Amino acid sequence: MNESGAAAPMSREGIDHALGRLRDEKDRISAALLDLEDHDGTRLLKGARLAGETWRRWEDARARIALVWRLYDAYQRVLAEAVELRERHGRPSPAVLVELTGLLAGESVEVPGGDVPLERRTLLGSAKERITLDEAVERMSAGYAAAAEVIAAADAAWTALLVPLEDVEEMWRETARLAQGLDGGARHPELDRLGRELSGVGQIARTDPLSLVRDGRVDTSRLDRCRESMAALRSSLEEAVRLRDGYEERLAAVAASIGEVEEMELRAREARTAATVKIQAARLPEPPALGTGLRHRLADLDGLCRAGRWAELAGRLAELDRAVAAALELARDSLRLSTGLLDRRGELRGRLEAYRAKAGRLGFAEDERLSELYGTARTLLWSAPCDLRRSTAAVAEYQRAIRACESAAEMESGR
């Protein structure tokens, strides 16, 4: 810089080097701007009906792009003027070098729309802001980066949303066709609800995708929930189709399961009666009696079948299946509870006889004490009703007595 603040004149070699660099830079800037205009995200943003945050950010990005292009035109004009001046002077004079230096290094680019604020003006200075070629590149780079960020973010959001959205919308159409074929055009509340929800999600995804970006990631949770609910509904409708096509077989299978419940309940009642008679103080609850009610529920399904309400029928039949399974488990628990007491008596009888055989092998068959204990235990176990608590204690006492006799015999033989 000289004392006036202007850049010192550049040499001819410096001028030629700067021109080469700037022409290469201009070509790269032009290519980058054309690529940005041709980007899929840019075309989508230009063609979409935008709303909300996406509309605001795209308006800002579009204004930045327009400013970059205007600044690029001003930049290009200055560079073209410098190239033309250099080509006219093969051996530039000092005055031409000063002029070229002013174009290439001085504040030669007038910023489009860039009025200088009043507080920064001088009495004789221009009201228009002027910057150097390098400063123009910096401003274009900043505007390009800001616009490119919005375009890339919108493109990424649409990439994450639109294909899955179209898949779920096709799922909804397929599900609607299933429902139409099943119920003869009757309204399906869940399908209608999902249709409204999907419409709302689609509106946001298509017009304001950037509102769904959180911390750099696209929030697809609402769309994912739609997909899950749609898959569940379609699965239930497909089950209804299978039910319609094989209703008689399915009905027979459920009736057979109910018959199994009734049989198990009968066995449970019989086992409870036997246990109450044979086991003393057997406080057993009444076995369940759900079979009859289940048969009534099965009979009630005929009306839905005649009306062709297969989707509702499939849901009711699934509920009945669960009720039958629960009733069967209750009946089995009741049977196990009653038979468990009788099984306990049988197990004690078996142990008592096993201990008696052991006493015989050890040579204690004629032992008066053991015979008395055996008789007591046997009387308890073969009495009706049987006192399981006292029987258990009697068998245990008989076992301990055999062990005591065995130990005494071992000590006697060891002397």
Side-chain angles (χ1 to χ4, degrees), residues 26 147 287:
K26 175 186 76 70

Side-chain angles (χ1 to χ4, degrees), residues 77-329:
R77 285 195 300 271
V78 172
L79 184 56
E81 183 181 349
V83 169
E84 190 274 334
L85 179 61
R86 177 66 183 91
E87 288 176 348
R88 281 192 290 109
H89 299 277
R91 298 179 63 84
S93 65
V96 172
L97 290 176
V98 169
E99 186 176 356
L100 285 168
T101 299
L103 290 170
L104 298 178
E107 294 178 343
S108 55
V109 180
E110 184 176 292
V111 178
D115 293 342
V116 177
L118 181 62
E119 66 273 11
R120 289 172 50 196
R121 298 181 190 176
T122 63
L123 183 62
L124 300 177
S126 172
K128 293 292 184 181
E129 182 182 12
R130 303 184 71 84
I131 57 177
T132 66
L133 288 172
D134 287 343
E135 289 171 339
V137 171
E138 290 178 3
R139 291 200 184 185
M140 286 188 287
S141 297
Y144 172 90
E149 180 184 2
V150 174
I151 292 168
D155 185 50
W158 269 321
T159 298
L161 290 166
L162 292 184
V163 172
L165 174 64
E166 290 169 1
D167 289 345
V168 179
E169 288 173 338
E170 179 58 28
M171 284 178 65
W172 188 91
R173 288 189 287 271
E174 291 174 358
T175 306
R177 286 192 290 271
L178 273 175
Q180 177 78 14
L182 276 169
D183 294 336
R187 302 285 298 189
H188 197 294
E190 178 63 5
L191 184 64
D192 292 344
R193 184 192 71 79
L194 286 173
R196 291 190 297 271
E197 176 67 7
L198 188 57
S199 177
V201 174
Q203 177 72 11
I204 295 173
R206 291 187 170 95
T207 65
D208 192 12
L210 292 180
S211 67
L212 297 174
V213 177
R214 305 283 186 274
D215 299 324
R217 300 184 62 181
V218 183
D219 181 7
T220 62
S221 58
R222 191 175 171 190
L223 182 58
D224 293 339
R225 287 193 297 271
C226 275
R227 180 195 300 277
E228 292 169 4
S229 299
M230 197 74 67
L233 177 58
R234 185 172 66 178
S235 177
S236 68
L237 291 175
E238 288 170 345
E239 173 60 27
V241 171
R242 288 191 292 271
L243 173 62
R244 180 193 62 190
D245 296 341
Y247 180 64
E248 295 302 326
E249 293 82 356
R250 180 69 183 281
L251 204 64
V254 176
S257 296
I258 295 175
E260 187 178 354
V261 170
E262 292 171 331
E263 181 184 355
M264 191 64 63
E265 289 178 344
L266 176 60
R267 291 175 58 192
R269 285 192 293 272
E270 291 173 346
R272 180 184 182 278
T273 299
T276 302
V277 171
K278 297 176 181 180
I279 305 298
Q280 182 175 318
R283 296 185 179 88
L284 296 170
E286 284 286 344
L290 303 174
T292 302
L294 294 173
R295 286 209 176 272
H296 288 324
R297 289 177 63 176
L298 183 62
D300 290 341
L301 300 180
D302 285 343
L304 295 176
C305 174
R306 287 192 298 273
R309 293 158 59 183
W310 295 104
E312 184 179 353
L313 180 55
R316 295 274 293 276
L317 197 54
E319 292 174 0
L320 183 56
D321 277 336
R322 290 190 290 270
V324 169
L328 185 58
E329 188 59 31

Side-chain angles (χ1 to χ4, degrees), residues 61-73:
R62 189 163 58 177
R64 289 176 184 273
I65 293 171
L67 179 59
V68 169
W69 274 112
R70 292 198 301 273
L71 188 55
Y72 174 76
D73 287 342

Side-chain angles (χ1 to χ4, degrees), residues 351-361 365 374 378 398 402:
R351 282 171 57 191
L352 179 64
E353 294 306 314
Y355 294 148
R356 184 187 185 195
K358 181 180 179 180
R361 288 195 305 272
Y374 170 78
R378 193 179 193 289
Y398 181 54
I402 293 172

